[in-house]
C-alpha cells in the first residue's frame, strides 16, 4: 500500500489558502508544506510577531494576518478585509480541555474557538471560497454530546473534556450541514473533515489526557498528524469526507478516507445545530454597535439558508 506523504502534494502554484492558528503545531506544519508546494498561504493568527518568526526562512509565500477566532469582532474584521478569491479555508485553530471561561462576546471560550468562531468565519468567507473548506476535528467527536438548547454551556455544569468533545462533534455536524447546503445550492465547493489522530503537539500539554502522548507507539508525531489536514486540503475527495490516520482506531498512521461516527451523520441534528448556532451568534450581535458592516455580516451568515429550497 502506498502511504501518502507531503511529497505527494500537487503543484499549488496560483492557489490561495487561509489557515487559522498556524503559528505553531499542526497549523504551522500545514502552512509550511502548502507553501513549499507553491500555495500563497495566509496565516490567521493571534500573535503576528510569533508567526512571522515561525515562518522566517521557510521557502514559499506567506502572509500573516491578525485573527482571534474566539473574538467575533476579530473574525468579522478578518473576513471584511478579504479581497479576491480564496481557494481553501482551513479551520485549524483549537484549544482542548480548558477551564470554563467567557470570551469578549460572553460566549464559552472553548466552544467558540473550536466551533462557533470557525462557523462564523466560514459563513462570512464562503462566497469567496472556490474549492473547499477543511474543518480540523478529532476522533473524540465520537464521544461528543450536544445540547442544542445550551450550546454555550450556560445551564449545564461545564466540563473541559466534555466541551472539547462536543465542540469537535459540532464541527463534524457543521461540515455535514454545510455540504448539504452547498450541494443544494449547486455549489462545487466542498466541505471536508480532517482528523490528525493523536499527534504530539502542545494541544493537551495542560490536560490529564496528555498522558497518552507518552505512548509514542500509539500516536503520530506532529509531522504525520498534519498529513490528514494536507490530504483533506488537496486531494480529490468527496464532499463531507472524513480524512484520518489509517492505523488502529484512527489514532496514528498515514491519511486515508475513514468514516466519522454515526452521530456525526445525523442530518436532522446537523440542521438543528446550524439553526441554534445562527441564533446564538445572532444574540451576540446586538451587543456590538449597529453598523452597515454588521448588517452585511448578518445577511451573509444566512446566505446559504436563503438559497435552500
Ligand atoms: N494534536 C492532536 O493530537 C490533535 C488531535 C485531534 C485534533 N486536533 C486539532 O488540531 C488543531 C490544531 O491543534 P494542535 O495539535 O496543532 O495544537 P497546538 O499546537 O496547541 O496549536 C493550536 C493552535 O491554535 C491556535 N489558537 C488557539 N486559540 C486560538 C484563537 N482564539 N484564535 C486563533 N488561533 C488560536 C494557537 O495559537 P496561539 O499560538 O496563539 O496559542 C495554535 O497555533 C486543533 O483544532 C485541535 O483540536 C489535534
Amino acid at each position: 500500500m502506498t502511504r501518502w506523504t507531503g511529497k505527494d502534494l500537487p503543484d499549488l502554484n496560483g492557489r490561495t489558502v487561509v489557515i487559522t492558528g498556524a503559528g505553531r503545531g499542526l497549523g504551522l506544519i500545514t502552512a509550511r508544506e502548502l507553501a513549499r508546494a507553491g500555495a500563497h498561504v495566509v496565516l490567521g493568527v493571534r500573535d503576528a510577531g510569533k508567526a512571522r518568526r515561525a515562518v522566517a526562512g521557510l521557502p514559499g509565500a506567506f502572509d500573516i494576518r491578525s485573527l482571534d477566532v474566539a473574538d467575533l469582532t476579530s473574525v468579522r474584521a478578518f473576513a471584511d478585509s478579504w479581497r479576491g478569491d480564496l481557494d481553501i479555508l482551513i479551520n485549524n485553530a483549537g484549544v482542548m480541555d480548558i477551564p470554563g471561561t467567557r470570551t469578549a462576546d460572553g460566549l464559552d471560550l472553548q466552544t467558540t474557538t473550536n466551533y462557533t468562531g470557525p462557523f462564523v468565519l466560514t459563513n462570512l468567507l464562503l462566497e469567496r471560497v472556490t474549492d473547499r473548506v477543511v474543518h480540523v476535528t478529532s476522533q473524540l467527536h465520537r464521544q461528543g454530546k450536544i445540547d442544542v438548547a445550551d450550546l454555550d454551556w450556560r445551564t449545564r455544569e461545564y466540563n473541559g473534556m466534555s466541551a472539547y468533545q462536543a465542540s469537535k462533534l459540532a464541527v463534524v455536524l457543521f461540515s455535514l450541514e454545510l455540504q448539504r447546503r452547498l450541494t443544494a445550492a449547486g455549489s462545487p465547493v466542498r466541505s471536508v473533515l480532517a482528523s490528525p489522530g493523536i499527534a504530539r503537539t502542545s494541544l493537551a500539554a495542560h490536560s490529564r489526557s496528555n498522558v497518552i502522548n507518552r505512548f509514542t507507539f500509539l500516536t503520530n508525531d506532529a509531522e504525520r498528524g498534519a498529513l490528514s489536514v494536507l490530504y483533506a486540503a488537496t486531494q480529490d475527495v468527496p464532499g463531507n469526507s472524513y480524512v484520518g490516520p489509517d492505523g488502529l482506531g484512527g489514532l496514528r498512521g498515514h491519511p486515508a478516507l475513514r468514516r466519522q461516527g454515526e452521530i456525526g451523520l445525523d442530518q436532522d441534528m446537523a440542521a438543528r445545530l446550524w439553526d441554534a448556532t445562527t441564533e446564538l451568534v445572532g444574540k451576540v450581535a446586538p451587543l456590538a454597535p449597529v453598523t452597515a458592516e454588521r448588517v452585511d455580516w448578518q445577511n451573509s451568515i444566512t446566505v446559504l439558508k436563503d438559497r435552500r429550497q
Side-chain angles (χ1 to χ4, degrees):
M1 191 172 70
T2 49
R3 308 195 109 187
W4 196 89
T5 72
K7 292 198 183 93
D8 300 311
L9 280 170
D11 180 358
L12 296 173
N13 269 291
R15 314 270 279 165
T16 300
V17 183
V18 165
I19 174 156
T20 66
R24 62 186 166 93
L26 302 179
L28 177 59
I29 296 169
T30 305
R32 184 197 73 206
E33 287 301 291
L34 293 173
R36 190 182 54 75
H40 170 219
V41 179
V42 179
L43 292 82
V45 294
R46 291 191 287 197
D47 185 338
K50 194 169 82 175
R52 210 165 283 122
R53 288 190 292 281
V55 297
L58 295 178
F62 298 98
D63 185 3
I64 317 274
R65 299 199 195 171
S66 178
L67 174 62
D68 180 343
V69 295
D71 177 348
L72 299 188
T73 304
S74 170
V75 170
R76 282 200 293 270
F78 182 92
D80 284 349
S81 69
W82 192 265
R83 300 286 175 271
D85 285 346
L86 164 56
D87 295 298
I88 303 166
L89 168 63
I90 304 177
N91 287 316
N92 163 78
V95 289
M96 180 183 184
D97 191 15
I98 59 169
T101 313
R102 294 279 150 189
T103 69
D105 300 299
L107 300 172
D108 172 56
L109 177 59
Q110 182 162 210
T111 308
T112 311
T113 307
N114 294 352
Y115 166 63
T116 320
F119 175 93
V120 174
L121 181 69
T122 302
N123 273 282
L124 292 175
L125 287 174
L126 201 56
E127 288 191 310
R128 309 272 191 189
V129 177
T130 63
D131 181 345
R132 69 188 72 186
V133 180
V134 176
H135 317 262
V136 181
T137 182
S138 160
Q139 280 291 75
L140 288 172
H141 79 271
R142 292 164 196 275
Q143 276 82 54
K145 289 189 180 55
I146 290 181
D147 180 351
V148 286
D150 185 26
L151 274 187
D152 205 40
W153 296 89
R154 283 172 192 279
T155 56
R156 289 170 292 164
E157 190 179 340
Y158 178 87
N159 173 284
M161 189 49 95
S162 302
Y164 182 74
Q165 293 162 349
S167 70
K168 290 300 181 181
L169 172 58
V171 166
V172 173
L173 291 164
F174 173 34
S175 172
L176 177 67
E177 178 63 6
L178 179 60
Q179 185 59 59
R180 190 191 70 70
R181 288 171 185 245
L182 288 166
T183 304
S187 169
V189 172
R190 279 175 272 194
S191 170
V192 183
L193 291 156
S195 159
I198 299 177
R200 296 189 294 279
T201 66
S202 52
L203 181 71
H206 58 279
S207 165
R208 270 178 300 168
S209 67
N210 194 42
V211 73
I212 199 160
N213 270 336
R214 290 196 208 133
F215 301 99
T216 53
F217 64 96
L218 282 176
T219 58
N220 273 335
D221 61 17
E223 293 287 333
R224 202 180 283 174
L227 291 181
S228 291
V229 187
L230 290 164
Y231 190 100
T234 61
Q235 300 303 293
D236 187 15
V237 294
N240 201 39
S241 291
Y242 183 88
V243 178
D246 57 4
L248 188 67
L251 298 184
R252 66 171 301 203
H254 287 257
L257 287 183
R258 306 292 306 239
R259 193 174 157 83
Q260 52 274 69
E262 281 307 313
I263 192 172
L265 292 166
D266 182 338
Q267 195 77 68
D268 177 59
M269 178 67 174
R272 285 193 290 127
L273 175 64
W274 184 291
D275 290 344
T277 310
T278 308
E279 199 187 321
L280 176 69
V281 172
K283 278 185 192 148
V284 172
L287 297 175
V290 178
T291 62
E293 181 187 312
R294 215 193 89 228
V295 173
D296 285 344
W297 164 62
Q298 287 180 322
N299 287 341
S300 64
I301 207 160
T302 54
V303 66
L304 285 169
K305 196 174 182 180
D306 295 342
R307 282 195 208 143
R308 181 163 59 160
Q309 293 305 323

